[in-house]
Amino acid sequence: MRRVFPEGFVWGSATAAYQIEGAATEDGRGPSIWDTYSHTSGRTLNGDTGDVAADHYHRWAEDLGHVAGLGLGAYRFSISWPRVRPGGCGPVNRAGLDFYSRLVDGLLERGVRPVATLYHWDLPQELEDAGGWPTRDTALRFAEYAAEVVGALGDRVHTWTTFNEPWCSAYLGYGSGVHAPGRTEPAAALAAVHHLNLAHGLAGRVIRELAPAAELSVTLNLHVFRPASGSAADADAVRRVDALANRAFLGPMLDGAYPADLLADTATVTDWSFVRDGDERTAAAPLDVLGVNYYSTALVRAWDGVSARSDADGHGSSAHTPWVGAEDVDFLPQPGPHTAMGWNIEPAGLTELLLRLHREHPGLPLMVTENGAAFDDVVSPDGRVRDGRRVDYLHRHVDAVGAAMDAGADVRGYFVWSLLDNFEWGYGYDRRFGIIRVDYDTQQRTWKDSAHWYRALATTGRLEPPPSR
Ligand code: IFM
């Protein structure tokens, strides 16, 4: 299948501060919850931390050279809150802000559109010590931090994204505990959901005021759930996890209200009294574009209470579930192929998701802000990384984006996750998502076959028939 994407369709790549920057204690950066978590024994694979990561803090100019060399129109990166405001509130760290200012200018000099995310999971530790996202004050501190950053970088940033995947921050951070700060408190997870929504709205207003020419966005990892059978019970299981994962964010952010079924389903976990009058309207800051991260689908069923459970939700092993209030929903293993994360490969799910958003929120432009795959890459004796499976994965998902556009979805761009191999959270450096390989001993960057493939796509806008493998 050959596809030609429209003129103006944006091809980009994405990264996040803690995953690539390193320099964890340099130039006044304070500790974040991920520093604490990764330095706690048993939390990450092999005890890996982001202390050095891909050393991007020192190699940013070289890395922007790769972005430009790939012919990308946009680069999505995140700003480290503890680099800019080491204590979460209080004095601003000028050296931290200057780093991002240089990065943004470096992108503009290379003709690349900066797409900046304000929060990709690295909460300043002091704010977690004061209660973290389950506490309302954190949302207010986030708006102050946003004002400092947007005040400094303003309209030089083309698109401001408030949050990356608040689902992970709330449910993995405070529900299952497989992400920092590693708490396992179901009610706190739902309070975190709300304060992330509130913080999005508060920061959205700040962005509108301080950078009126920039676009406002948020990136959600919306889930595609499929029922294990045609039974009413399985359909209800889908409805409940959809409320937790998708509508808990889409509701307030796009419609200004939590879905009634979410509040009812979780009534035994919390009474939602942390939601104050006007909060939901605040969360609904009008967006210019919705960022969508997509990797795979989930197969769910209503657990009968008797048969063995699978709990194959693909989000790490924990005795605690991120699916608070839906503990009787079981996640089933799915047929292959799978990536090295154990996630099933299902490009049709991306088409389905984009079309759902188009149907439910007509007129809202969409951007695929993350899509990609971890595989066990092998460096050939000639130094080349023949990552044909990643090329195949990316090819089929880009094609799925094209299919959604053919069917009417207004998709403005696609960002591959990730530019570089990086710190994959609880999996440390063991899982590689980059189209550019990082040798962590030497910090040498090597373009994998997928980088060459992506360059051809980004510079022509043409998806050519799949390369034979
Ligand atoms: O590495 C992460 C990223 O930080 C957020 N989205 C999913 C990626 C792969 O797990």
Side-chain angles (χ1 to χ4, degrees), residues 19 120-121 164-165 295 343 370 417 424-425 433:
Q19 294 182 271
H120 196 125
W121 308 352
N164 177 75
E165 302 183 356
Y295 291 90
W343 299 342
E370 280 183 30
W417 183 268
E424 177 52 27
W425 309 110
F433 275 89

Side-chain angles (χ1 to χ4, degrees), residues 54-338:
D55 196 31
H56 171 77
Y57 188 73
H58 301 113
R59 295 168 195 264
W60 63 272
E62 176 191 347
D63 292 339
L64 295 196
H66 290 296
V67 170
L70 286 162
L72 303 183
Y75 175 59
R76 175 174 177 256
F77 61 98
S78 82
I79 291 171
S80 160
W81 187 347
R83 209 180 272 296
V84 169
R85 273 203 144 165
C89 51
V92 167
N93 177 30
R94 185 53 51 190
L97 265 183
D98 287 350
F99 169 71
Y100 295 107
S101 188
R102 287 195 296 276
L103 189 73
V104 166
D105 285 345
L107 286 166
L108 294 173
E109 280 158 21
R110 291 165 177 83
V112 180
R113 183 188 284 190
V115 175
T117 302
L118 285 167
Y119 187 80
H120 196 125
W121 308 352
D122 43 1
L123 185 70
Q125 183 61 44
E126 278 189 39
L127 292 185
E128 174 54 31
D129 295 343
W133 285 112
T135 305
R136 187 178 183 88
D137 197 54
T138 304
L140 310 182
R141 300 290 83 84
F142 180 71
E144 291 168 7
Y145 152 70
E148 290 294 346
V149 177
V150 179
L153 306 180
D155 294 340
R156 280 186 287 155
V157 168
H158 182 278
T159 306
W160 283 105
T161 304
T162 53
F163 285 95
N164 177 75
E165 302 183 356
W167 182 89
C168 297
S169 298
Y171 296 112
L172 301 183
Y174 296 94
S176 64
V178 299
H179 275 193
R183 286 165 58 181
T184 51
E185 304 159 37
L190 293 174
V193 165
H194 178 60
H195 296 129
L196 287 156
N197 282 325
L198 177 64
H200 161 76
L202 292 170
R205 276 160 184 73
V206 167
I207 293 166
R208 284 272 180 250
E209 194 186 316
L210 298 181
E215 293 193 343
L216 173 63
S217 167
V218 64
T219 279
L220 303 177
N221 56 324
L222 297 166
H223 289 55
V224 176
F225 298 109
R226 296 189 170 149
S229 78
S231 72
D234 287 352
D236 197 56
V238 167
R239 179 195 61 72
R240 283 186 292 150
V241 287
D242 181 65
L244 281 168
N246 299 332
R247 291 181 288 117
F249 300 101
L250 292 172
M253 286 181 182
L254 297 182
D255 300 326
Y258 285 103
D261 61 334
L262 171 71
L263 305 184
D265 290 347
T266 54
T268 55
V269 180
T270 179
D271 60 6
W272 291 80
S273 54
F274 42 77
V275 180
R276 297 194 190 161
D277 274 357
D279 281 3
E280 292 159 278
R281 273 195 310 282
T282 299
L287 295 178
D288 295 305
V289 60
L290 175 66
V292 178
N293 290 357
Y294 176 84
Y295 291 90
S296 64
T297 60
L299 184 66
V300 302
R301 66 165 181 168
W303 184 51
D304 56 15
V306 180
S307 55
R309 291 182 65 117
S310 301
D311 285 329
D313 75 352
H315 289 104
S317 57
S318 166
H320 302 271
T321 176
W323 304 102
V324 299
E327 289 79 4
D328 57 335
V329 173
D330 191 17
F331 286 70
L332 301 174
Q334 305 204 61
H338 297 97

